[in-house]
Amino acid sequence: MGLTFWKKGVWVLLFFSLAFNIGFFFTAANRKMRPGPGPILKILDGMDLPEELRGKVTDTIKQLDTDHWKFRKLLSKEERKILDLMGRPGNLDMDMVAPLIESYSQISKKSALNKAGYIIEIRKLLGSEKSLYLISEMKKNFEKRMCKDKPQG
């Protein structure tokens, strides 16, 4: 009986250790894949804004980031549905694919409108000159990030 208990105990420990390590890996990977608003907030640090205004803009940017990742998750689910349909055996035609493409397009449109709303809000808060500076810095950051993500070869 004692030996069997220890064998079970070892398996339980191994299982929980493995589960913990997998959870840690995905948490770390999610943070790496989801950069967050950090670079934009660093740009704000250099803009010499009054504390109250900086707080409002920071809150808006953080909410934009949260919404952005919610939309990314929704779009990823839609892409998965499309790929699942495409990878299924049997007949496949555009009538089967079109509703999924339409759903993806609607989510993408909502995401773009959502982002535009936040940018308009930030422009109202900062005024013309400072908001244009922030947006130009955001574009530089975006272009730099896109160069890293460019396919190799």
Side-chain angles (χ1 to χ4, degrees):
M1 182 166 105
L3 187 58
T4 305
F5 170 77
W6 283 109
K7 284 183 181 178
K8 287 180 183 176
V10 167
W11 282 111
V12 169
L13 271 172
L14 284 172
F15 173 76
F16 281 110
S17 175
L18 181 63
F20 179 75
N21 285 322
I22 290 171
F24 179 77
F25 171 77
F26 281 111
T27 300
N30 185 39
R31 287 185 182 172
K32 181 164 176 44
M33 293 184 330
R34 182 177 181 238
I40 299 169
L41 297 179
K42 286 181 183 173
I43 296 167
L44 280 179
D45 288 340
M47 291 181 64
D48 192 35
L49 299 173
E51 193 59 38
E52 183 180 333
L53 178 59
R54 187 185 189 296
K56 287 179 183 178
V57 174
T58 298
D59 290 346
T60 303
I61 289 171
K62 286 180 179 179
Q63 190 57 52
L64 173 122
D65 183 64
T66 299
D67 286 0
H68 167 75
W69 287 102
K70 285 179 187 175
F71 279 113
R72 290 281 301 254
K73 283 182 180 179
L74 290 172
L75 288 169
S76 182
K77 283 181 184 178
E78 292 302 309
E79 287 174 355
R80 211 172 358 263
K81 287 178 188 177
I82 294 167
L83 288 173
D84 287 347
L85 178 64
M86 298 284 192
R88 231 178 57 184
N91 294 336
L92 182 67
D93 61 34
M94 286 306 291
D95 289 336
M96 297 167 74
V97 178
L100 296 175
I101 300 292
E102 181 61 31
S103 177
Y104 181 91
S105 297
Q106 289 299 317
I107 294 169
S108 182
K109 181 179 177 180
K110 286 178 187 176
S111 175
L113 288 169
N114 183 271
K115 287 176 195 167
Y118 281 116
I119 297 297
I120 290 168
E121 178 66 24
I122 290 168
R123 287 193 62 171
K124 286 179 184 175
L125 288 168
L126 289 177
S128 184
E129 184 181 322
K130 289 186 186 242
S131 65
L132 293 178
Y133 170 76
L134 177 64
I135 291 168
S136 94
E137 292 298 309
M138 288 169 65
K139 283 171 45 178
K140 288 177 192 174
N141 188 325
F142 176 76
E143 289 165 3
K144 191 183 333 177
R145 206 172 67 231
M146 290 308 292
C147 287
K148 286 183 188 176
D149 294 342
K150 192 185 297 184
Q152 303 297 317

